[in-house]
Amino acid sequence: MRVALWLLDSPRLGQTPSVKRIAGNLLKQPARKGCVQAQSRLGRLLCRDCGNTRDRRIGLELLRQAARAGDHCAQLELERLSR
C-alpha cells in the first residue's frame, strides 16, 4: 500500500494513467480487507479518473465505507460529488 500511495502522491508520476492503474491495483486488496485509507484513496481514484459507470459506483461505495469509518477526505469527496 505504501508504494501505491507514494505513486499517487508523486507530483510527476501520479498524473499518468498507467501509474494510476498500477496504484489502483495495489490498493484493491487492502481496500477489500477494510483498510480505510485504501478505501478512501481507491474510491477517489475510481470516481475521478474512471469513465465507466461500474467503476464510479464501486468508487462511491468505497468512499461511503471510508466516510462512515471517519475518513475526512472521503467525507469531503462525497460532499463534492453530491453537488
Side-chain angles (χ1 to χ4, degrees):
M1 190 170 112
R2 288 181 188 167
V3 173
L5 297 178
W6 176 78
L7 286 170
L8 291 172
D9 291 338
S10 173
R12 206 171 104 217
L13 291 174
Q15 301 305 313
T16 60
S18 60
V19 170
K20 289 179 182 181
R21 192 175 315 111
I22 292 167
N25 286 332
L26 291 171
L27 288 171
K28 281 181 187 177
Q29 189 67 22
R32 286 183 187 137
K33 290 184 177 181
C35 176
V36 175
Q37 187 178 19
Q39 290 171 339
S40 178
R41 290 302 293 263
L42 184 57
R44 284 184 278 158
L45 187 65
L46 290 172
C47 286
R48 290 179 184 173
D49 297 316
C50 291
N52 67 48
T53 307
R54 179 181 173 271
D55 285 345
R56 184 172 165 79
R57 188 174 57 242
I58 292 168
L60 284 170
E61 181 55 36
L62 287 169
L63 285 173
R64 284 187 197 104
Q65 290 174 9
R68 279 193 295 263
D71 185 273
H72 185 66
C73 292
Q75 293 168 352
L76 291 174
E77 187 68 16
L78 281 172
E79 182 180 320
R80 185 187 73 78
L81 291 170
S82 67
R83 292 182 190 164

